[in-house]
Amino acid sequence: MYYFLDENLSKFASGIEHAVMNRQRLFKKNGVESKIITVNYSTNVVDHVAYWHLQHTDLINLYDYFAESSDLPEARTTLSKLGYQTKDYRFEADGDQVKIFSTTSLVMIAHLFADEQGGVYSLDFLDAKQRVIRTDYYDTRGYRSMSQYFAKADNAQENWVVLEQFFTVAGRIFLEKYYIRGDNGAGKLNHMRLTLKTGQSYMLENKTALYRSFIEQLALDLPGTVTFIADRQGELSRAMAFSQVPARKILCIHNLHYAPYDDPKHAHLAYDALAKTDELSRVDMIIASTPQQAADIQRRIYSQVPVVSVPVGMVSDSLIQQPQVPIAAPTRHQGKIVAVARLFWQKNLADAIRAFAIARQTLPWLTFDIYGYGDARDQYHEEKQLKKLVAELHLQACVSFLGHTNNIAAVYDHAQMMVLTSRFEGFALALLEAHAHGVPVVTYDINYGPASIVQAGQSGFLVAPGDYRQLAEKLVQVFSDQPLLAALSQGAYQVATRFSEAAIWQQWHHNVIQRSGK
Amino acid sequence: MYYFLNNTSNYLASGIEHAEYQRLRLFKKHHTPAKIVTKTYQLNAADHLRANGVQPEDCINMIDYFCDNLDLTPQVLTIRDVTQNSPFRVVKDGEIYRCYDQQRELQRVWTKHNKLVAVDHFDGDHQQVRSDFYDSRGFKAKSAFYATADDAQARRLTLEQYYAVNGRIGYEISYRQRQGGVVAVNHRIQLANGQTWSVLNSAHAFTIFLDCLNMANGGENVFISDRSNVTNQPMIAMQTPAIKIEHFHNIHFANYRDPMNSALTYASISETERLAKTNLIITPTVTQADDMRMRLKTKVPITNVPVGYVPAARLSMPRRSMSDQRRIKGKVIAIARLDAQKNLAEAILAFEAAHTQLPWLTFDIYGYADSGSGEEQKLRQLVHANKLEDCVRFMGYTEDMQSVYQSAQLLLMTSRHEGAPLSLVEAASYGVPQLAYDCFYGPAYIIANGQSGYLVNYGDRAQLTARIVTIMQDTQLLQRLSDGAYQRAKDFSEDAVWQQWQDKVINNDQLKQLPPDPEQVAQVKARVTFGKIDFVTPKSGA
């Protein structure tokens, strides 16, 4: 059994969660059992499962596990099921809230789900001054899953969470979280008490200890040795490393392993999982997304713990089976160069624009489309700068900012070339997507991704980071030589097959599943 | 060149210093150039070194180096060197001399055994504004300057300057007031050739010093960090190509009974990046090396070399039998600092129980008290409470350990943890059998169980008492163990230990593969070629 350790699978899942779900599909297809493990509390895990088209057996959430609720179907709690009778209380609907009065005093407020199914999400209890003293949360499977209690004083400013109790479906308290008042006045987690159904009780100092108990339970539930793959670094990977069970422990690194990202020369190891020998030495293997990163990590940690690589991106069978679009096909726009990247500092699109401007002096029929949205994190500064640059270079007629698209496949099928000038990447998935559609690539040879995907001279070219003049030269060279362009397109299709489901599975099998035997 | 890195040269040398000084003698004897290198300056360092059998020129202190105060011919400065041209009226007050202008005391000169020690300078309100300090080699080595205020209590240290013999300022430390005391906030180094550095802490200054030393000797010298908390980080941070060895002298984990799971106590091994830049780790015992290897899973080689050895001359000395008149019958000894780690209360209580059965036993404890630990007081109270004043004595620190060992019959060690207790090897070399708690690490490595002494399960005081009684009652057994101890000492002979240094360090080709990343090596080497300008050595450098 493989357990993939993650934080949550909400609807706002990041690239890491997508990679994990793809991995699970691949494992399933190849008959290897796996489950995604999540540790964040949520009242609607069951929704997440449905949203991502998972089976409920594909996922175990920490709170569901201890609440013994994993197998229940969705059944939301209705107002009437709360147990407060209309002869004693008056109910007043107010939008998504229902106010509940005892004679003239407002004593409770029920918060309802805003979607069409409705049902109770939470219930606040009020004191005589109508301040919330307690909130109950209801799981969408129809039971009270958590109560939160607030510390109060006559001084209205004093208000912090003092206690959280988590309940099993049957109503037994399995977890209590105790808070102290932090310096900022808010509750700060102090310690926890976990009680198993056997009655055994544990005092836990922090989240890591809670995760560790969970991980140890999971391992003990099954005969034989299970394998954990921690996809998130921090408390989860630490809990895995220090768990005292005979399990195989694998650390999967999805991002750059050093920080600050933009200064690899002076950067330090970003994760305690790597930087602290005591944590590092307790894992059995490290997986990186590219062979280059794996080699860098191995050299840097100088440890006996093996570092292997398995690509985090893959090309689906259905895409590989699609008919190829020849580079000279009329559906492809001649001279169309694309970049698929957010308008953000990291992506360094100014260099791509500069390179394009130089190339276009020789080949005026080239055009450049940029797909990606601006970023609120920098107040769209980068977007403004890029647009200013395009104006300064008088390229408005041939450089287009096209924002986000839902049909990226069509973009690739109409293009003849992709450029990538990022300062750094984890895997550079866009390059692989482009190759899967027969689009060659000229890219900066940055950490990490380009060198593991692009085969120099066969599916595109790698140039030194920052050398946009050379990038321009390569564009001119390729677009001046139609047979070369066609060959690179063929090469791109070819390279993409190396990332087929079967090929990626082969790497999982060879690098991880077979190797991680203890 | 081999450089052994330490913090300072105290008169009261701990096990680490003794190990270092012994190693220095071993290397020198075998014509392998080696020096001790220290960070913290002391006015009397030369005297301390000599007292511990080390030639002052075999130790290079950082501040001495920056101030060119190496290989000096010692001079004696007296009160006359201050007063002979002084316009002030001098009044002698014991070893203190007060210098007056009219009725105002403007200087106060401190001497000891007629040697000049320090001069305090006062302002018109008799507030101390400056003090000069004199190195025992006979020159003004340092001045401390004080910030004053109308409130005399507000006086505080603000600047220290360190001088070359010719008066040039080689090193300066600025201080800032913080929470009732002062902290060093900036260090400035200035070499005779004008090259300067301004750094934020002494560790960084120490790194610069090590780089200078290294390049003054052509680079790729071997640095052995003996005092991890002070010397490891500066050694690892060195920019010039060097071979970096971390030498452990104690256990490496927090709970002294849990070597595999309790926290790692030294950043030198708990931080992956520091560890990865280390060329070799040396532990005193095999077991510690094994445990560390198993736990760290690093590719950095980990080996063991005994920290002590028995000089050839001692091995060839005539043996002194247990019945020899010069051995004091019933004399039990412990050689340990009065510190919680040494756990001497256990030894005292075990001895007490044995003493009730064999009232002719006596117990001498040799070792100085670690200041501020309160352990000495606790132990003295324990002795008092058990009415043992007549048979248990605290003997303090002694330079003449030979007579101690040669007059004793048994040694006890009940430490909570050890690196490799030098005293066990020393005791063996003088034929003193040993009883020790089997702690991590050392006793099991040194004591040949049943032949040169016995290991006792950790904490089993009753067993320790029983062993004391059995051995001391049975003269044949005592003699057999003594013979076994003399025999065991041979395994730690100078030659045997030197052989290990040769095999594991000096001729270890693996060490010559400089840092693991070849690209990094190339970069460093390129920088150093250029850096020949950067790392000019002071005139009197090694």
Side-chain angles (χ1 to χ4, degrees):
Chain A
M1 173 65 83
Y2 282 77
Y3 289 119
F4 307 146
L5 304 177
D6 290 274
E7 281 165 7
N8 69 66
L9 267 190
S10 74
K11 293 173 188 178
F12 308 104
S14 77
I16 294 180
E17 280 74 31
H18 283 286
V20 171
M21 288 187 279
N22 280 335
R23 183 200 300 157
Q24 188 176 46
R25 277 192 280 278
L26 191 64
F27 273 53
K28 203 178 257 187
K29 184 176 162 189
N30 289 279
V32 174
E33 245 189 319
S34 71
K35 287 184 194 293
I36 298 172
I37 304 300
T38 62
V39 293
N40 285 4
Y41 170 76
S42 168
T43 57
N44 55 354
V45 169
V46 70
D47 280 6
H48 303 162
V49 171
Y51 185 85
W52 294 112
H53 307 291
L54 301 175
Q55 306 292 317
H56 79 269
T57 49
D58 290 339
L59 176 85
I60 304 178
N61 173 268
L62 180 151
Y63 292 88
D64 288 3
Y65 176 86
F66 289 116
E68 300 156 44
S69 63
S70 296
D71 299 336
L72 294 181
E74 181 158 15
R76 292 191 183 175
T77 304
T78 58
L79 263 182
S80 59
K81 276 199 192 149
L82 293 179
Y84 302 97
Q85 300 192 356
T86 46
K87 69 182 170 60
D88 302 324
Y89 295 93
R90 181 161 53 84
F91 293 76
E92 243 178 50
D94 179 8
D96 293 337
Q97 296 182 356
V98 174
K99 292 181 172 168
I100 304 173
F101 293 86
S102 168
T103 65
T104 57
S105 306
L106 178 62
V107 290
M108 287 174 270
I109 300 175
H111 299 266
L112 308 179
F113 280 100
D115 58 19
E116 63 264 29
Q117 284 190 68
V120 177
Y121 169 72
S122 68
L123 181 63
D124 294 337
F125 295 79
L126 312 178
D127 66 8
K129 290 183 175 166
Q130 304 208 338
R131 284 156 52 189
V132 178
I133 51 169
R134 166 181 165 182
T135 304
D136 288 348
Y137 290 89
Y138 287 85
D139 191 274
T140 52
R141 284 160 294 195
Y143 67 101
R144 176 172 58 134
S145 58
M146 197 256 275
S147 289
Q148 220 169 24
Y149 302 84
F150 299 91
K152 295 279 169 195
D154 279 346
N155 166 12
Q157 304 305 315
E158 289 288 312
N159 177 15
W160 77 92
V161 176
V162 69
L163 170 69
E164 286 174 346
Q165 292 180 319
F166 295 81
F167 305 98
T168 64
V169 174
R172 177 177 67 80
I173 298 167
F174 68 86
L175 181 68
E176 287 188 326
K177 295 186 183 179
Y178 307 97
Y179 291 81
I180 57 170
R181 189 174 184 277
D183 291 337
N184 61 359
K188 194 173 76 177
L189 186 61
N190 185 9
H191 71 280
M192 291 170 272
R193 181 161 290 281
L194 176 69
T195 309
L196 304 183
K197 61 181 164 191
T198 56
Q200 208 167 358
S201 188
Y202 302 91
M203 208 280 269
L204 306 170
E205 284 178 332
N206 50 38
K207 274 191 196 170
T208 303
L210 174 64
Y211 299 166
R212 191 176 139 182
S213 293
F214 177 42
I215 286 169
E216 290 175 352
Q217 286 295 323
L218 285 174
L220 293 173
D221 282 348
L222 295 178
T225 305
V226 303
T227 302
F228 292 102
I229 300 181
D231 288 297
R232 291 274 177 184
Q233 282 74 52
E235 287 143 338
L236 256 180
S237 59
R238 190 169 173 79
M240 175 185 79
F242 285 93
S243 62
Q244 298 273 9
V245 279
R248 291 176 295 191
K249 300 165 182 176
I250 299 176
L251 193 66
C252 191
I253 305 276
H254 289 266
N255 293 317
L256 294 193
H257 57 280
Y258 50 81
Y261 293 149
D262 50 309
D263 187 8
K265 214 171 169 182
H266 299 103
H268 291 284
L269 290 170
Y271 306 112
D272 277 0
L274 298 174
K276 305 291 179 193
T277 48
D278 212 17
E279 208 173 315
L280 173 63
S281 64
R282 284 162 206 266
V283 304
D284 298 291
M285 177 186 285
I286 296 165
I287 303 174
S289 301
T290 63
Q292 289 79 7
Q293 187 180 19
D296 283 358
I297 293 175
Q298 186 83 76
R299 189 158 52 209
R300 188 151 186 174
I301 63 175
Y302 207 55
S303 168
Q304 290 165 16
V305 176
V307 187
V308 303
S309 70
V310 180
V312 75
M314 58 184 154
V315 182
S316 69
D317 289 350
S318 58
L319 183 52
I320 287 178
Q321 282 149 18
Q322 271 178 22
Q324 297 185 355
V325 183
I327 202 73
T331 51
R332 293 204 194 257
H333 302 306
Q334 205 210 350
K336 176 66 73 189
I337 301 168
V338 296
V340 178
R342 281 175 299 114
L343 312 181
F344 194 55
W345 173 87
Q346 175 205 344
K347 303 297 182 181
N348 195 24
L349 283 162
D351 273 17
I353 293 166
R354 288 191 192 100
F356 172 79
I358 296 169
R360 196 169 180 277
Q361 286 168 3
T362 311
L363 305 173
W365 41 272
L366 295 180
T367 56
F368 185 24
D369 291 349
I370 298 171
Y371 290 87
Y373 44 85
D375 203 308
R377 279 181 295 173
D378 69 352
Q379 283 95 43
Y380 305 96
H381 173 78
E382 182 76 4
E383 178 172 357
K384 287 173 208 155
Q385 291 296 311
L386 293 173
K387 287 181 172 164
K388 204 170 124 200
L389 178 65
V390 167
E392 280 167 10
L393 296 169
H394 308 293
L395 294 173
Q396 294 99 320
C398 49
V399 175
S400 312
F401 291 94
L402 296 170
H404 182 72
T405 173
N406 282 326
N407 192 2
I408 197 73
V411 171
Y412 294 130
D413 283 338
H414 290 109
Q416 288 194 315
M417 177 65 70
M418 171 180 265
V419 291
L420 183 140
T421 49
S422 299
R423 295 172 204 270
F424 55 88
E425 290 287 343
F427 180 75
L429 191 61
L431 298 184
L432 180 57
E433 291 174 347
H435 273 15
H437 290 270
V439 179
V441 169
V442 181
T443 174
Y444 279 176
D445 187 9
I446 44 124
N447 288 351
Y448 289 98
S452 77
I453 298 169
V454 179
Q455 299 298 304
Q458 190 194 333
S459 71
F461 291 99
L462 299 150
V463 305
D467 192 350
Y468 62 83
R469 291 176 197 284
Q470 205 202 337
L471 199 147
E473 270 175 38
K474 286 295 175 195
L475 291 176
V476 171
Q477 184 196 339
V478 174
F479 277 112
S480 309
D481 184 347
Q482 284 303 313
L484 173 60
L485 181 61
L488 292 176
S489 173
Q490 280 301 309
Y493 277 123
Q494 193 56 41
V495 163
T497 62
R498 298 185 189 179
F499 295 84
S500 70
E501 291 177 19
I504 301 297
W505 177 249
Q506 177 59 32
Q507 296 205 40
W508 273 107
H509 189 72
H510 181 261
N511 294 347
V512 181
I513 294 174
Q514 269 189 342
R515 255 186 91 164
S516 62
K518 239 189 183 173
Chain B
M1 179 70 85
Y2 287 81
Y3 292 108
F4 307 154
L5 313 184
N6 206 333
N7 182 32
T8 192
S9 310
N10 287 325
Y11 171 68
L12 296 177
S14 79
I16 293 182
E17 283 74 37
H18 282 302
E20 225 178 29
Y21 299 159
Q22 260 208 337
R23 188 198 305 147
L24 181 75
R25 287 189 276 274
L26 189 64
F27 274 58
K28 280 183 73 171
K29 184 171 174 190
H30 292 90
H31 310 293
T32 303
K35 299 250 187 222
I36 289 173
V37 169
T38 59
K39 185 178 97 167
T40 304
Y41 170 79
Q42 293 204 43
L43 296 165
N44 300 317
D47 299 345
H48 298 162
L49 288 163
R50 247 184 243 110
N52 283 296
V54 177
Q55 296 304 312
E57 57 268 27
D58 285 332
C59 176
I60 308 176
N61 171 261
M62 171 175 80
I63 287 177
D64 277 344
Y65 185 87
F66 290 138
C67 296
D68 310 329
N69 294 333
L70 304 173
D71 305 330
L72 298 180
T73 310
Q75 299 178 42
V76 175
L77 295 185
T78 66
I79 181 67
R80 235 169 299 130
D81 292 291
V82 179
T83 56
Q84 60 189 355
N85 295 317
S86 168
F88 302 135
R89 176 169 57 89
V90 180
V91 178
K92 186 171 188 295
D93 173 7
E95 291 197 305
I96 299 172
Y97 297 81
R98 301 176 196 277
C99 305
Y100 291 93
D101 175 20
Q102 309 287 335
Q103 295 311 310
R104 269 189 193 140
E105 187 190 12
L106 287 189
Q107 286 180 2
R108 186 179 296 169
V109 184
W110 304 77
T111 65
K112 196 162 189 188
H113 309 310
N114 296 318
K115 280 178 79 175
L116 191 54
V117 172
V119 180
D120 295 338
H121 301 261
F122 302 101
D123 67 7
D125 295 323
H126 205 259
Q127 283 211 51
Q128 191 181 347
V129 292
R130 168 179 158 192
S131 296
D132 300 329
F133 298 93
Y134 290 81
D135 190 286
S136 65
R137 290 168 293 175
F139 63 98
K140 185 171 89 171
K142 164 184 165 182
S143 290
F145 298 82
Y146 300 94
T148 54
D150 282 345
D151 167 15
Q153 301 304 315
R155 182 189 76 106
R156 58 188 164 85
L157 179 65
T158 186
L159 171 69
E160 280 177 347
Q161 292 183 325
Y162 293 84
Y163 307 109
V165 169
N166 67 8
R168 184 181 69 78
I169 299 168
Y171 198 86
E172 290 178 291
I173 308 173
S174 295
Y175 290 86
R176 179 197 295 161
Q177 189 171 25
R178 179 179 296 163
Q179 290 168 352
V182 292
V183 288
V185 290
N186 181 282
H187 298 246
R188 288 174 301 286
I189 302 162
Q190 182 150 26
L191 301 185
N193 66 11
Q195 194 172 2
T196 59
W197 290 270
S198 171
V199 299
L200 301 183
N201 53 59
S202 62
H204 191 175
F206 196 51
T207 295
I208 290 167
F209 168 46
L210 297 179
D211 274 328
C212 286
L213 270 184
N214 189 32
M215 294 321 292
N217 253 303
E220 308 209 3
N221 295 288
V222 181
F223 291 78
I224 301 181
S225 149
D226 280 308
R227 200 163 276 282
S228 191
N229 291 342
V230 176
T231 55
N232 174 267
Q233 189 275 333
M235 173 180 79
I236 296 300
M238 285 173 68
Q239 301 277 303
T240 57
I243 294 166
K244 299 169 182 177
I245 299 178
E246 178 70 357
H247 196 310
F248 277 82
H249 292 271
N250 213 324
I251 57 169
H252 54 279
F253 45 88
N255 175 344
Y256 55 86
R257 299 303 301 155
D258 184 5
M260 296 315 283
N261 285 305
S262 70
L264 296 169
T265 38
Y266 292 101
S268 60
I269 52 169
S270 70
E271 302 285 334
T272 306
E273 290 190 271
R274 272 214 220 168
L275 180 59
K277 288 175 186 152
T278 310
N279 297 86
L280 177 70
I281 289 175
I282 298 177
T283 65
T285 61
V286 180
T287 327
Q288 187 174 12
D290 287 347
D291 283 359
M292 220 184 252
R293 222 176 279 125
M294 205 185 310
R295 180 152 178 191
L296 298 178
K297 283 195 194 158
T298 178
K299 285 186 188 166
V300 174
I302 302 174
T303 190
N304 76 291
V305 181
V307 293
Y309 63 88
V310 184
R314 197 187 303 163
L315 283 177
S316 57
M317 268 171 33
R319 291 183 178 186
R320 187 176 283 188
S321 86
M322 278 291 144
S323 55
D324 189 298
Q325 291 295 312
R326 289 166 294 178
R327 296 251 188 216
I328 301 165
K329 183 174 157 62
K331 178 63 73 191
V332 181
I333 57 170
I335 316 294
R337 278 177 294 118
L338 310 185
D339 183 81
Q341 177 204 329
K342 302 298 182 179
N343 204 19
L344 283 163
E346 284 287 299
I348 292 170
L349 291 171
F351 171 82
E352 191 267 338
H355 183 256
T356 56
Q357 300 174 56
L358 308 176
W360 44 273
L361 296 182
T362 56
F363 187 26
D364 288 349
I365 297 170
Y366 288 86
Y368 59 89
D370 266 1
S371 58
S373 72
E375 184 74 4
E376 178 176 8
Q377 207 192 345
K378 273 188 224 162
L379 294 174
R380 285 186 187 278
Q381 275 169 3
L382 183 69
V383 167
H384 177 72
N386 287 283
K387 303 191 172 58
L388 294 170
E389 285 97 337
D390 291 342
C391 54
V392 176
R393 295 190 297 173
F394 294 96
M395 308 298 288
Y397 185 77
T398 177
E399 287 173 22
D400 181 19
M401 287 308 298
Q402 177 165 319
S403 335
V404 173
Y405 289 120
Q406 286 193 325
S407 57
Q409 292 195 314
L410 185 65
L411 179 136
L412 303 184
M413 173 172 282
T414 48
S415 299
R416 291 181 176 154
H417 54 92
E418 286 288 344
L422 206 50
S423 58
L424 294 184
V425 177
E426 302 255 298
S429 72
Y430 291 107
V432 181
Q434 305 123 50
L435 291 177
Y437 278 174
D438 186 11
C439 70
F440 299 101
Y441 296 94
Y445 178 64
I446 297 167
I447 296 174
N449 198 13
Q451 292 166 43
S452 68
Y454 291 100
L455 294 168
V456 174
N457 288 337
Y458 183 84
D460 190 346
R461 203 201 302 151
Q463 196 196 345
L464 181 58
T465 299
R467 286 286 187 204
I468 298 173
V469 171
T470 314
I471 294 170
M472 297 307 274
Q473 271 181 324
D474 181 344
T475 50
Q476 282 188 346
L477 173 60
L478 183 62
Q479 188 55 50
R480 185 164 66 70
L481 292 173
S482 176
D483 294 343
Y486 277 122
Q487 188 57 36
R488 179 62 178 148
K490 289 182 184 168
D491 297 334
F492 296 91
S493 73
E494 204 171 308
D495 287 347
V497 172
W498 179 245
Q499 191 60 48
Q500 293 206 37
W501 275 105
Q502 282 185 295
D503 295 346
K504 293 172 174 175
V505 181
I506 295 167
N507 298 326
N508 181 351
D509 290 339
Q510 211 184 352
L511 292 185
K512 300 199 173 92
Q513 296 160 6
L514 277 172
D517 180 356
E519 203 176 305
Q520 197 190 337
V521 174
Q523 279 175 9
V524 167
K525 286 196 168 165
R527 205 157 53 223
V528 167
T529 318
F530 166 76
K532 287 250 154 94
I533 305 157
D534 272 351
F535 292 101
V536 177
T537 163
K539 62 169 173 42
S540 52

